[in-house]
Amino acid sequence: MSVSALETAAVPALVEDAAAAPSMHNAQPWRFRFLRADDVFQVYADLERAMPQADPTTRCLHLGCAAALFNLRTAMAHAGWATDTELLPDPADPRLLAVVRLTGPAPTERGVVEDLAPLYPAIRRRHTSRRPFTDEVIPHAVKDALSAAALLEGARLIFPDPWHIHTLLDLVRDAEGRDATDAAASEELRRWIRVGQDAVRAASDGVPDYAFGPRKLYGSAPVRDFAGRGAVPGREAAAFENVPQLAVLGTTSDGPRDWLLAGQAMERVLLEATLDGLATSLTSQALEWPELRWTLRDPQSAMGFVQMVLRLGYGPAGPGTPRRPVDEILEIA
């Protein structure tokens, strides 16, 4: 199969689409390699962007890389290519998370490839929103579609009952209290915060102050305040929702392969939600403390391990955040 057109023009654009994925503190911990002779993309973890305090097992790093992997699969489908994905193909190199092989033009009949392609417009529209959402209830049909999206990628998405949401919010508050008194965790977080015009202008990663969202006057929405106790000039304050609409994404096991499945499911859910007109954000505070994480799951569900908590609702979309230049994350061999 000739891929000359893909080599010269499409490869950087495909990787740029992949890199629009969310990642913890927008660290963008991924690298891509395209092997021209084999028609293969390799997706690597960039361990220099790991967070030993908040993510000592690199679980969240795997989630972010897997979200980028899903975007790559979606962009390939949109471009008309059929692909085959293999996770963790080399036991001797755990940094190599996945390979995506081009297998030929996408079939015209309905199938998995056709199912991915319609998600493509949401890749650039999806942004984390740290602003208040309205009280409008998400319809059951939309929730069912999001749960089905997660299942297609080998994970489960459930919408907790009120008692479970209350527990989730308590655990998030507990985690926020622990974070505030942990000097090492606070220092690690500061590494990824971009405050002030000069820092924001020069940033290619991290969370810029314009994406912090308003300071919370009151409300129960689990939104991380990246400003902490610091003041950001011009930052407004707002009331957040008292009854946030949360979803829990999880897997039956808890190893690197499960994290990669969960990350792809997370991104598929986020893209589906974006197309459905929902604003989204991710909540991982309680997941960053092992002694809190195990209590996040609903013991009545078959979900063994919670991988991410999603906040969904109707409200303003978040702003775009900086991205690393493609030539920093892509090698063509």
Side-chain angles (χ1 to χ4, degrees):
M1 175 177 56
S2 172
V3 292
S4 57
L6 183 61
E7 290 179 26
T8 56
V11 170
L14 290 167
V15 169
E16 188 174 356
D17 286 333
S23 58
M24 190 174 189
H25 307 343
N26 195 30
Q28 303 167 53
W30 44 65
R31 299 187 70 86
F32 299 86
R33 193 166 185 247
F34 182 69
L35 307 180
R36 289 179 292 186
D38 300 319
D39 301 329
V40 165
F41 280 96
Q42 296 176 319
V43 182
Y44 284 87
D46 186 346
L47 297 180
E48 292 183 0
R49 293 174 172 268
M51 301 179 194
Q53 298 300 317
D55 186 31
T57 65
T58 70
R59 184 186 62 83
C60 284
L61 182 147
H62 280 70
L63 293 178
C65 290
L69 168 63
F70 184 82
N71 277 1
L72 178 62
R73 291 171 51 206
T74 301
M76 297 284 283
H78 171 75
W81 295 100
T83 59
D84 178 67
T85 301
E86 181 182 359
L87 302 181
L88 302 173
D90 184 359
D93 186 1
R95 297 174 307 144
L96 178 56
L97 303 182
V99 295
V100 181
R101 297 181 176 87
L102 281 69
T103 59
T108 56
E109 66 271 13
R110 293 188 61 84
V112 173
V113 171
E114 196 274 345
D115 285 342
L116 287 182
L119 296 174
Y120 180 78
I123 287 179
R124 300 305 182 97
R125 288 168 47 194
R126 181 222 60 82
H127 301 299
T128 297
S129 177
R130 300 183 181 90
R131 301 191 65 84
F133 298 166
T134 72
D135 293 329
E136 182 179 352
V137 176
I138 301 171
H140 286 294
V142 174
K143 292 181 178 180
D144 290 344
L146 297 179
S147 296
L151 282 173
L152 287 171
E153 299 302 324
R156 294 195 60 186
L157 184 80
I158 64 171
F159 290 85
D161 292 331
W163 72 266
H164 191 190
I165 290 180
H166 182 76
T167 300
L168 290 172
L169 296 176
D170 283 346
L171 291 170
V172 170
R173 285 189 288 267
D174 189 347
E176 290 173 338
R178 293 170 183 237
D179 289 340
T181 58
D182 188 312
S186 297
E187 180 59 32
E188 184 177 78
L189 179 62
R190 278 192 290 271
R191 176 189 172 193
W192 300 102
I193 293 174
R194 311 288 181 248
V195 176
Q197 291 185 359
D198 291 342
V200 169
R201 189 180 301 113
S204 61
D205 58 14
V207 183
D209 54 22
Y210 63 76
F212 287 1
R215 180 172 55 84
K216 187 186 296 184
L217 283 175
Y218 58 84
S220 300
V223 179
R224 191 192 300 264
D225 189 348
F226 282 91
R229 297 178 181 177
V232 176
R235 188 186 186 200
E236 61 181 357
F240 283 72
E241 59 268 31
N242 281 317
V243 185
Q245 300 183 81
L246 305 180
V248 175
L249 179 78
T251 51
T252 55
S253 301
D254 194 38
R257 180 178 177 82
D258 304 288
W259 305 337
L260 294 175
L261 293 174
Q264 291 179 89
M266 177 184 75
E267 184 68 348
R268 184 162 193 154
V269 168
L270 291 174
L271 297 184
E272 290 274 9
T274 300
L275 291 180
D276 286 333
L278 294 171
T280 63
S281 65
L282 303 173
T283 298
S284 65
Q285 293 97 311
L287 296 168
E288 296 160 24
W289 294 90
E291 59 270 36
L292 300 180
R293 183 186 170 209
W294 74 272
T295 59
L296 284 171
R297 65 177 294 272
D298 180 352
Q300 297 180 358
S301 79
M303 184 184 297
F305 297 89
V306 174
Q307 304 294 350
M308 186 56 66
V309 178
L310 289 71
R311 170 178 168 251
L312 307 166
Y314 296 97
T321 49
R323 286 296 182 270
R324 301 167 66 191
V326 171
D327 59 9
E328 287 187 8
I329 61 173
L330 170 64
E331 175 190 356
I332 298 179

